[in-house]
Every structure is written in structure tokens, then in C-alpha cells.
Amino acid sequence: MTMACPTKYQKSSLRAYNSTEQAFTTPGNIKFSNIGYISGTSISLKENSDTVYLRTNGLYYITIDVIMSNATAATDTTVQLYVDGDEVAGALTEATLTTNTDFQAGTISAVIPVNSICCSYGKGIPVTFRVLGTTPQIEGANLNVFRLA
């Protein structure tokens, strides 16, 4: 017997943010300490988590605004979107900072199709934002995720 997975469209959206500095000594993921708004059941995130889950098949629009800095001078800071453990080509923002007091804003936007979720997939497809650099810092992050179709 084969189980059919529900495919009914359901609007879902998420807004999450973090306004507390996050410092990294090795590559790590941005954590979201506050959930400003969440609706529907297609998108999930727990407070103080670094992973958003896309829980149903569909088309998702993901956008994040970040303020990047660095603990040391003259180094690069990069934020890269990962979906299901794989980096999304072209979905990154990078800052070349000249002093440890420099700040630079960056934005990532991507449309992500999800068509591989079946009833037994568990939490859903994981979405993370990996921070790379020598001593990168994220001063703030604002995330919005919308299920489009």
C-alpha cells in the first residue's frame, strides 16, 4: 500500500530576527533568537535555532538582510544560503572589511522549489545561513520566508 502525501496549497510565512551580535571562530550558522511572525504549517523555526524547515512541497521565497562585521581588520565575511545541506549557487553576500569597526549590510534572496518531501521526511527540508571568514561577526539578521505556491 502506498501513502499519498498531502499537496494542498497552504499559505505560510515566517519573520525571524536577531539583533544580538553573533561572533564565529569557525564557520557557523546564524541563529534567530526572535520569531516576529509565523503563520501556516509549511515553515517552522524554533526560537534560538539556526535551522528553518520547509515542511511541504511548494515554491518558497527566502530573503535575509544581515549586518556583517569582523573581529579583526582587513578580512572578508561571507553569508551563504544552504538548503538540505547544499549551498545554493549565487545565494550569498560578502563584505570586505578594512577595519574591525567596519560594518556592511548584505542581502540574500532566492526562490527555492521543494518537491521531494514525502510523509516520512520528518521535520522537512533544512535551510541555514552559513557564516564564513577568519573572525566574522553578524551584528543583526532579519529573515523572511514565504510559501508562494
Side-chain angles (χ1 to χ4, degrees), residues 18-39:
N18 190 346
S19 55
T20 305
E21 178 185 285
Q22 297 178 65
F24 300 88
T25 55
T26 60
N29 297 329
I30 295 174
K31 287 188 178 181
F32 300 96
S33 58
N34 300 289
I35 297 174
Y37 179 81
I38 190 164
S39 71

Side-chain angles (χ1 to χ4, degrees), residues 5-64:
C5 295
T7 58
K8 179 180 173 190
Y9 173 68
Q10 180 184 18
K11 295 179 186 178
S12 292
S13 61
L14 165 73
R15 177 177 178 268
Y17 60 95
N18 190 346
S19 55
T20 305
E21 178 185 285
Q22 297 178 65
F24 300 88
T25 55
T26 60
N29 297 329
I30 295 174
K31 287 188 178 181
F32 300 96
S33 58
N34 300 289
I35 297 174
Y37 179 81
I38 190 164
S39 71
T41 60
S42 296
I43 305 165
S44 68
L45 170 72
K46 292 185 178 181
E47 282 188 16
N48 295 312
S49 174
D50 63 2
T51 306
V52 174
Y53 291 96
L54 308 178
R55 299 174 49 103
T56 59
N57 292 329
L59 191 63
Y60 294 84
Y61 176 69
I62 300 171
T63 183
I64 187 171

Side-chain angles (χ1 to χ4, degrees), residues 110-128:
V111 175
I112 304 296
V114 174
N115 56 16
S116 60
I117 294 178
C118 192
C119 299
S120 62
Y121 202 81
K123 293 181 181 180
I125 302 290
V127 174
T128 57

Side-chain angles (χ1 to χ4, degrees), residues 76-112:
D76 293 339
T77 296
T78 302
V79 178
Q80 172 75 54
L81 170 62
Y82 281 76
V83 175
D84 205 15
D86 297 321
E87 68 179 49
V88 177
L92 62 92
T93 185
E94 186 173 56
T96 300
L97 306 163
T98 56
T99 70
N100 63 344
T101 58
D102 282 353
F103 296 92
Q104 185 169 326
T107 298
I108 300 171
S109 296
V111 175
I112 304 296

